[in-house]
């Protein structure tokens, strides 16, 4: 028995409660259901329950399951939330609607080239390494505002938001607050922050989307 639809309903209810608690409008926060490592059979019941926005970590894995799922469930939206290698930019532009992990000039240039070539305009987020952790991808917080400006002015990209993954062993609140501050300085409106363990906190700090995987699909 697949319990994912009931867990999905619980997550949506908790997001709605967090929006209300934070005095934010109902529906202000988009739920991105993180389906990485789960096969099409595990994802299908969540699609059938009405969820349409999903996140994947790897281009190749997403290529293996999403074309068929999108034929079955039109209107699905796919976010790349894992690191993007420049040699995968062509496939990423072809498959995804949103890329949340733009974090260096080489990727920005490749995405600009591929979007022009394919005649597609993807929605883009800059990933910020909010805790300055050496093992994590993302631009340093001190460089984020200038990098967003370069994406726009040098590469001709429209960046709509910032994304972060706070350090696992720290209170996420100050990191979310910093991302919100950086977004204001960079002139972007969207904030992709918050995962299964801290998405309600993220809603309180202004997240416009939360990326929830294990709380919906179970542990990998």
């Amino acid at each position: 028995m697949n319990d994912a639809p009931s867990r999905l309903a619980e997550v949506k209810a908790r997001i709605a409660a967090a929006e209300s608690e934070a005095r934010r409008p109902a529906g202000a926060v988009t739920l991105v259901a993180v389906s990485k490592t789960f096969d099409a059979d595990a994802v299908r019941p969540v699609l059938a329950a009405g969820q349409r926005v999903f996140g994947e970590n790897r281009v190749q894995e997403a290529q293996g399951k999403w074309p068929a799922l999108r034929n079955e469930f039109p209107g699905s939206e796919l976010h790349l939330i894992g690191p993007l290698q420049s040699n995968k930019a062509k496939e990423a532009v072809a498959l995804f609607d949103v890329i949340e992990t733009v974090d260096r000039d080489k990727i920005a240039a490749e995405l600009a080239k591929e979007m022009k070539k394919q005649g597609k305009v993807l929605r883009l987020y800059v990933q910020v390494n909010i805790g300055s952790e050496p093992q994590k991808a993302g631009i340093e917080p001190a460089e984020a505002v200038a990098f967003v400006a370069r994406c726009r002015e040098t590469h001709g990209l429209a960046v709509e938001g910032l994304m972060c993954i706070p350090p696992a062993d720290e209170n996420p609140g100050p990191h979310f607050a910093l991302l919100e501050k950086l977004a204001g300085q960079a002139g972007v409106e969207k904030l992709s922050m918050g995962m299964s363990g801290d998405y309600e906190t993220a809603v309180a700090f202004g997240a416009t989307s939360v990326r929830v995987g294990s709380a919906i699909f179970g542990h990998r």
Side-chain angles (χ1 to χ4, degrees):
M1 181 181 165
N2 190 314
D3 292 329
S6 59
R7 290 194 293 260
L8 171 71
E10 184 187 342
V11 169
K12 286 183 168 178
R14 289 174 67 172
I15 290 171
E19 286 171 339
S20 175
E21 179 79 19
R23 299 201 166 126
R24 297 183 60 192
V29 181
T30 298
L31 170 60
V32 180
V34 178
S35 48
K36 66 177 185 180
T37 77
F38 288 96
D39 63 18
D41 288 340
V43 177
R44 201 171 277 112
V46 178
L47 279 157
Q51 177 65 20
R52 286 294 177 271
V53 185
F54 289 82
E56 289 283 345
N57 257 40
R58 293 196 162 99
V59 175
Q60 205 164 347
E61 185 193 336
Q63 280 176 316
K65 64 190 173 190
W66 276 101
L69 286 171
R70 292 181 115 169
N71 283 338
E72 274 181 75
F73 298 92
S76 306
E77 181 178 289
L78 204 50
H79 292 227
L80 179 64
I81 59 169
L84 177 61
Q85 297 166 314
S86 52
N87 65 351
K88 294 283 185 190
K90 179 180 178 180
E91 291 94 331
V93 169
L95 183 62
F96 289 90
D97 303 291
V98 183
I99 292 178
E100 298 200 12
T101 51
V102 183
D103 64 355
R104 58 200 187 280
D105 284 278
K106 186 176 183 184
I107 285 296
E110 282 295 322
L111 289 172
K113 185 176 86 179
E114 279 304 329
M115 286 194 286
K116 188 174 181 184
K117 204 182 280 184
Q118 296 184 34
K120 285 186 76 177
V121 179
L122 273 64
R123 291 159 46 210
L124 303 174
Y125 287 64
V126 164
Q127 181 173 356
V128 180
N129 185 354
I130 204 72
S132 296
E133 297 174 273
Q135 79 279 17
K136 274 192 188 157
I139 193 105
E140 284 293 313
E143 298 167 29
V145 175
F147 179 62
V148 171
R150 277 204 311 282
C151 284
R152 290 172 173 152
E153 293 156 18
T154 305
H155 304 294
L157 298 175
V159 175
E160 75 169 30
L162 301 181
M163 181 269 245
C164 77
I165 304 167
D169 55 352
E170 293 181 21
N171 174 5
H175 296 290
F176 294 153
L178 175 57
L179 197 74
E180 185 181 35
K181 181 183 173 188
L182 291 171
Q185 292 172 348
V188 298
E189 294 183 357
K190 306 278 184 160
L191 290 168
S192 172
M193 57 191 197
M195 300 190 293
S196 286
D198 57 17
Y199 65 88
E200 288 153 301
T201 303
V203 173
F205 279 94
T208 56
S209 60
V210 294
R211 309 179 307 275
V212 180
S214 57
I216 296 169
F217 291 100
H219 290 287
R220 292 171 176 82

